[in-house]
Amino acid sequence: MKIGVVGLGAIGAQVLWSLSKRAGVAVHGFESGYIGHPLAGAGGGGRLFRNLELTTMGYMPIVKRSNELWEELELTGGRQLRRKVGALLLGAPTDAQIEHALQAAREWDLEHEIYGKEEMRELFPQFSMADGDVGIWDTGAGVISPERSISVAVEQAVRAGATAREFTPGAAADERADGVTLRLESGESLDFDRVLVACGGWTTKLVPELCDWIVTRRLTSAWCSGKDDGIRDWIGARRLTSAWFSGKDDGSLWGLPPFMRVAPSYCYGIP
């Protein structure tokens, strides 16, 4: 089977690597920029990896499999892709997400610690805690290096026999009775048995019939100094989805771990 993968970002790179290991499959990847560029959804210095599922135990087999694949990719690629520094989950013990996290930790025998308010003040003074809040330390969690992970996944796919073409944007994917014709912006046309489109905000360019299903929205970010007053109001007024913060002084954020606070004031952060 001949398969094309359009977009070699967070999803496409992993698909290319996975398919490259299958017997009887010839897989070809296409990326509009260079492999691991920071201009798509995977751009940025880090992403959070965690083991404690907050909504349903149905996701736990996927989390377990994901962890196995990360370890395999790091081993075969010879590069560190995750820094397992741990992560802190904050919230009220009666919150459904906290209850799910604790259930996941117990049922899947995940290494964790539970901290009360006084322990939190001593261990992590950067956080404010409401009365009754608890902190759950996810020992096996950490920070993913997204661009490096994409590059290593594609490298390993190519080593296993896949083809990866950089600076090769797709123009259209046309279904046929016996497969798919992928037309590139260069004018070249290629025939495949199947084509997987994994190009994020550009998906509707190749598959216009999805225009009503997939809507691209701008992700608004800002930089804030810890010395600023009224940061919370400032962010709320602009409906920001992400921001970068600096500390009040050089050492004020020292020791700050990756963290996630659950509803009703959901947020997460990566130092």
Side-chain angles (χ1 to χ4, degrees), residues 176-187:
R176 311 185 318 273
D178 59 346
V180 182
T181 297
L182 177 64
R183 289 188 285 115
L184 306 177
E185 285 193 356
S186 64

Side-chain angles (χ1 to χ4, degrees), residues 163-183:
T163 299
R165 295 172 59 175
E166 298 179 301
F167 304 103
T168 310
D174 302 319
E175 287 190 86
R176 311 185 318 273
D178 59 346
V180 182
T181 297
L182 177 64
R183 289 188 285 115

